[in-house]
Amino acid sequence: MSTINLPLNLTVRVHPVVLFQIVDAYERRNADSERVIGTLLGSVDKGTVEVTNCFCLPHKEHTDQVEAELGYASDLYELNQRVNASENIVGWWASGHEVTNHSSVIHEYYARECMNPVHLTLDTSLTGARMGIKAYVCVPLGIPGGKSGCMFTPINVEVTSYEPEIVGLQLCMKTIGMQPNPNRSSTVSPMLDLEQVTDASHKLLALLADVLAYVEDVLNGKQQPENTVGRALLDLIHSVPNMTGDQFAQMFNSNVKDLLMVVTLSQLIKTQLQLNEKLTSLTSFLN
């Protein structure tokens, strides 16, 4: 199992797929359930907890106790280990914007599964018109020889993502503001490779225009220079390979040719599969 030290400057990095899974579990909850809980999976490295996956834990909360299907959680974790052995239990999650009276009881279970688990809450009720994310660690309290307890202390939490997740998020953002229309499909399809290149080129031109406007304002004395921005621009210039326009055009055209070849081969394979499917259906019909 994972081990986590207990510094209060611990940082929790949550991937978007975890947030989507929590929201999906909340939408699919039973009608008599006020909140849903589950297990956080990920890794720990140098004071950073990276949460890359999760699953829901069926449970029922009563006034004085909590019932949870711990056998289900154990079996699901073992199955996940067969698929991705690098994902360990790092804590647990719950829907809602606050820590409840039952949270300490649930936390005791996860304290047996991993060292110093983190607790993540996702405000699915949209309090304040936003889906707030909070993370906690449980700090023990008490006096020697007396009563002891624990206190959930907030820690830093941020959303991070891999490059494939960014592509998916950008695709999801295109659905924002779409109005239901029975005459038009409500789905959004990924752009073709050449369209992605065109879109990326337009975004790059817009960013270059912003950089040029900033540099011109600094040179004309309209804006105070920032040392951090200057160093970043210098690193950016040094990272650009030293080549002529003809060399760049040749390199770009070569990459475009490779991309077109891949697109053509994929279309040929798709056509061949469709033809094979139709021939198989025709043969089955004749027989």
Side-chain angles (χ1 to χ4, degrees):
M1 295 297 177
S2 301
T3 58
I4 307 176
N5 295 326
L6 196 59
L8 295 182
N9 59 352
L10 193 70
T11 300
V12 179
R13 295 180 177 176
V14 186
H15 285 258
V17 65
V18 177
L19 304 179
F20 282 123
Q21 286 178 291
I22 295 176
V23 173
D24 181 70
Y26 179 78
E27 291 294 328
R28 297 173 184 269
R29 73 190 188 282
N30 295 328
D32 57 345
S33 299
E34 295 183 0
R35 70 169 186 166
V36 289
I37 65 172
T39 303
L40 296 176
L41 303 176
S43 59
V44 184
D45 183 29
K46 298 179 181 179
T48 301
V49 181
E50 187 163 0
V51 184
T52 55
N53 199 358
C54 71
F55 59 84
C56 183
L57 173 60
H59 83 297
K60 291 184 179 180
E61 297 183 4
H62 304 282
T63 304
D64 56 348
Q65 64 179 354
V66 178
E67 297 179 2
E69 299 182 16
L70 302 183
Y72 171 84
S74 178
D75 294 340
L76 198 57
Y77 174 65
E78 290 179 1
L79 290 174
N80 188 81
Q81 282 283 289
R82 297 181 183 180
V83 178
N84 193 344
S86 62
E87 289 184 344
N88 299 313
I89 296 178
V90 295
W92 65 287
W93 59 267
S95 61
H97 64 280
E98 61 183 6
V99 177
T100 65
N101 296 331
H102 297 110
S103 297
S104 58
V105 178
I106 302 172
H107 200 83
E108 288 180 2
Y109 162 71
Y110 283 97
R112 298 192 297 267
E113 297 296 320
C114 65
M115 185 67 68
N116 297 323
V118 297
H119 176 35
L120 183 74
T121 61
L122 183 65
D123 184 10
T124 49
S125 62
L126 300 179
T127 302
R130 66 186 304 272
M131 189 174 294
I133 307 173
K134 295 181 180 179
Y136 305 88
V137 291
C138 193
V139 178
L141 297 175
I143 57 176
K147 294 184 178 180
S148 62
C150 64
M151 179 181 65
F152 286 93
T153 304
I155 56 177
N156 297 326
V157 59
E158 58 187 36
V159 179
T160 185
S161 55
Y162 299 127
E163 291 187 1
E165 292 176 326
I166 295 177
V167 175
L169 289 175
Q170 292 175 346
L171 191 62
C172 291
M173 290 177 63
K174 293 183 178 180
T175 62
I176 298 177
M178 290 183 61
Q179 300 296 330
N181 188 349
N183 299 324
R184 186 181 62 181
S185 175
S186 60
T187 60
V188 177
S189 301
M191 292 188 300
L192 298 176
D193 294 335
L194 290 179
E195 293 180 355
Q196 294 182 15
V197 173
T198 303
D199 185 63
S201 300
H202 289 313
K203 292 181 179 178
L204 180 59
L205 289 175
L207 292 174
L208 289 175
D210 294 338
V211 172
L212 289 176
Y214 168 79
V215 173
E216 291 178 355
D217 289 342
V218 171
L219 294 177
N220 295 329
K222 297 180 180 179
Q223 186 171 349
Q224 293 294 328
E226 292 286 344
N227 295 333
T228 305
V229 178
R231 295 190 186 96
L233 291 176
L234 184 61
D235 294 337
L236 177 63
I237 294 174
H238 287 165
S239 64
V240 177
N242 187 13
M243 62 176 61
T244 62
D246 294 337
Q247 292 175 336
F248 177 79
Q250 183 179 359
M251 180 188 67
F252 180 79
N253 292 332
S254 177
N255 292 332
V256 170
K257 290 179 181 178
D258 294 339
L259 179 61
L260 291 174
M261 184 181 296
V262 172
V263 173
T264 303
L265 290 176
S266 63
Q267 292 294 335
L268 288 175
I269 294 173
K270 182 179 179 180
T271 303
Q272 185 177 4
L273 291 175
Q274 292 175 346
L275 181 61
N276 180 68
E277 182 179 357
K278 292 182 179 180
L279 290 176
T280 303
S281 302
L282 181 60
T283 304
S284 301
F285 177 76
L286 294 176
N287 293 334

